[in-house]
């Protein structure tokens, strides 16, 4: 089921513009993740797609049909929200069965569909329980089962994992991946967790201030961020972005000096912490910086350098750093192939 947002703007009554001329198209079977900081418009985009809100201008199409004024129940969208919203007085079975009951599906079919989806989500043993008798992860699966049981073309999930503890979150992430591969459905998933986005998405839509800043496969978002904002948002620790000047093929900013293939002028240089190399001082192009902080994140070590130019620079390595202490000078190299360049003024990527 192809989905299109066409120039969709949402302005709330108090004047807040939550979405600003959003254009976004995706295809049947995709796992689209809407990613962005708090307030960037992710939930608003979801609610508009579901029909829970109306756009102020623009339109939304599902499978080529304008659904902008179609009520939620006719849009073929199953929804899962952060708080699950299960009916506490109904059993797990009845919670899952509910969308089928309101569609007047025959009882025998309900029985079969509920059991099938419960097996898929590995909650078949809990069908007689009430929601209060479930763990957070089980309740979350019930909510997903209820959204999927009537086989909607699109399953929309707004931060469904954020109430779970870290381990369960990882586990559910794997389950959702499995589910998406198994069902040929379109998943739209909202999160502000970039790692969740990277692992789940076929494509990630990065939103900022109600605008789409990039829509690409996770590896492209990581390897070729469209601008400085995306570069700094994706990856932990964030990409180092250093404002400096190129002169005669050398980029300089404080103690940072490295060869670059760029013409003279101001530029913002980007390099991921894991791509900075520990080098021998004699390596051509190597620079020496002083370690400010060392953090062990086994099996990795983070070395944070205070650059005299003002930017802190973080290196992440799996090399043995036992001999390195804070306050010590260390030689580093920025391989040319790992460098990103952003326009010093606009922050847009420049090749
Ligand atoms: P979060 O990650 O915090 O949930 P989000 O990216 O989902 O954020 P939205 O909930 O879509 O962001 O909100 C986008 C903007 O619209 C925010 O500035 C928010 O304060 C504003 N907003 C949302 N709902 C309303 C409303 N009903 N009235 C006025 N402003 C609203």
């Amino acid at each position: 089921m192809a989905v299109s947002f066409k120039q969709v703007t949402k302005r709330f009554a108090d004047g807040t513009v939550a979405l600003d001329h959003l254009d976004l198209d995706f295809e049947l079977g995709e796992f689209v993740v809407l990613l962005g900081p708090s307030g960037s418009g992710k939930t608003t985009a979801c609610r508009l797609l579901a029909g829970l809100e109306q756009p102020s201008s623009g339109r939304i199409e599902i499978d080529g049909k304008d659904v902008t004024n179609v009520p939620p129940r006719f849009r073929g969208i199953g929804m899962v929200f952060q708080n699950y919203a299960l009916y506490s007085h109904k059993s797990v079975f009845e919670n899952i069965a509910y969308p089928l009951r309101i569609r007047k599906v025959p009882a025998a079919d309900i029985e079969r569909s509920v059991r099938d989806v419960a097996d898929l989500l590995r909650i078949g043993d809990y069908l007689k329980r009430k929601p209060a008798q479930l763990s957070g992860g089980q309740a979350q699966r019930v909510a997903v089962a209820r959204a999927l049981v009537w086989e909607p073309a699109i399953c929309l999930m707004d931060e469904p994992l954020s109430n779970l503890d870290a381990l369960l979150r990882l586990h559910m992430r794997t389950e959702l991946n499995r589910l998406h591969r198994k069902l040929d459905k379109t998943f739209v998933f909202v999160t502000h967790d970039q790692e969740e986005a990277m692992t789940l998405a076929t494509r990630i839509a990065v939103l900022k201030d109600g605008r789409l800043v990039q829509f690409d496969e996770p590896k492209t978002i990581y390897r070729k961020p469209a601008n400085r904002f995306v570069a700094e948002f994706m990856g932990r620790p964030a990409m180092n972005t250093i404002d400096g000047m190129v002169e005669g093929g050398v980029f300089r900013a404080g103690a940072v000096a490295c060869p670059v293939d760029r013409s003279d002028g101001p530029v913002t240089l980007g390099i991921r912490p894991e791509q900075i190399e520990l080098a021998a001082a004699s390596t051509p192009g190597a620079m020496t910086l002083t370690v400010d902080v060392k953090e062990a994140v086994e099996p990795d070590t983070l070395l944070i350098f205070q650059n005299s130019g003002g930017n802190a620079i973080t290196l992440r390595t799996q090399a043995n750093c036992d001999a390195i202490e804070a306050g010590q000078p260390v030689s580093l190299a920025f391989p040319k192939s790992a460098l990103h360049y952003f326009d010093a003024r606009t922050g847009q990527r420049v090749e």
Side-chain angles (χ1 to χ4, degrees):
M1 191 71 65
V3 174
S4 293
F5 287 76
K6 294 200 183 295
Q7 289 286 300
V8 172
T9 293
K10 178 65 183 177
R11 184 188 300 272
F12 286 104
D14 66 356
T16 306
V17 177
L19 283 183
D20 191 0
H21 296 90
L22 177 68
D23 275 320
L24 179 65
D25 293 274
F26 48 89
E27 299 299 325
L28 171 74
E30 283 208 62
F31 198 132
V32 173
V33 173
L34 305 180
L35 176 72
S38 186
S40 55
K42 308 178 295 290
T43 295
T44 304
C46 244
R47 291 177 60 79
L48 287 167
L49 177 57
L52 303 173
E53 299 276 359
Q54 287 295 302
S56 312
S57 61
R59 63 181 200 281
I60 296 176
E61 294 178 1
I62 298 180
D63 225 16
K65 190 170 147 257
D66 187 344
V67 298
T68 316
N69 297 309
V70 173
R73 66 183 179 284
F74 299 124
R75 292 194 182 193
I77 298 178
M79 285 175 252
V80 186
F81 295 106
Q82 185 177 348
N83 58 9
Y84 322 139
L86 299 177
Y87 301 108
S88 57
H89 59 286
K90 289 185 197 286
S91 65
V92 167
F93 183 98
E94 285 305 326
N95 263 284
I96 300 173
Y98 185 74
L100 302 176
R101 296 229 186 272
I102 58 172
R103 288 175 175 79
K104 309 257 186 285
V105 173
D109 293 342
I110 292 183
E111 182 76 25
R112 199 184 51 247
S113 299
V114 171
R115 292 202 181 277
D116 283 354
V117 76
D119 284 346
L120 192 65
L121 283 148
R122 303 177 195 189
I123 45 174
D125 293 342
Y126 311 117
L127 292 175
K128 292 204 176 80
R129 293 197 192 176
K130 294 279 172 53
Q133 298 167 305
L134 300 175
S135 71
Q138 290 159 350
Q140 207 275 341
R141 284 152 200 253
V142 175
V144 174
R146 186 180 57 183
L148 294 176
V149 72
W150 56 285
E151 305 201 357
I154 300 168
C155 181
L156 211 137
M157 295 184 255
D158 191 350
E159 304 246 10
L161 307 185
S162 50
N163 282 343
L164 306 181
D165 68 49
L167 214 64
L168 204 52
R169 226 178 141 126
L170 279 180
H171 181 69
M172 277 310 297
R173 210 160 81 182
T174 312
E175 294 280 293
L176 284 177
N177 252 331
R178 187 176 59 85
L179 210 59
H180 177 250
R181 273 202 312 275
K182 194 163 168 134
L183 310 167
D184 193 18
K185 305 285 181 203
T186 308
F187 281 32
V188 180
F189 186 97
V190 171
T191 185
H192 57 260
D193 179 333
Q194 48 103 20
E195 197 177 294
E196 219 159 80
M198 291 293 277
T199 46
L200 287 171
T202 50
R203 282 196 288 173
I204 301 175
V206 185
L207 295 175
K208 178 176 185 267
D209 301 332
R211 291 167 190 255
L212 183 69
V213 281
Q214 190 165 7
F215 185 41
D216 267 315
E217 288 179 36
K219 65 170 188 284
T220 310
I221 299 249
Y222 182 81
R223 294 178 193 171
K224 286 194 153 201
N227 59 27
R228 184 175 180 162
F229 168 78
V230 179
E232 290 171 348
F233 195 69
M234 301 301 291
R236 288 290 173 273
M239 182 188 283
N240 296 291
T241 46
I242 311 161
D243 296 317
M245 192 66 85
V246 178
E247 271 175 29
V250 178
F251 172 88
R252 288 183 201 279
V256 169
C258 69
V260 292
D261 292 325
R262 290 207 67 76
S263 47
D264 288 2
V267 76
T268 302
L269 187 82
I271 184 160
R272 295 219 173 263
E274 57 275 25
Q275 292 183 316
I276 300 179
E277 291 174 357
L278 293 167
S282 56
T283 305
M287 66 199 95
T288 301
L289 296 178
T290 304
V291 178
D292 185 27
V293 177
K294 175 173 131 179
E295 292 176 1
V297 195
E298 297 293 352
D300 295 0
T301 304
L302 299 184
L303 298 177
I304 298 148
F305 301 89
Q306 217 41 262
N307 179 21
S308 49
N311 313 76
I313 292 166
T314 303
L315 170 153
R316 181 176 192 134
T317 181
Q318 291 207 336
N320 186 326
C321 295
D322 288 352
I324 299 177
E325 299 294 342
Q328 194 178 313
V330 169
S331 294
L332 307 175
F334 290 2
K336 270 188 184 172
S337 60
L339 298 178
H340 302 253
Y341 303 102
F342 304 100
D343 186 288
R345 197 175 48 81
T346 64
Q348 287 306 113
R349 180 184 192 81
V350 284
E351 293 297 342

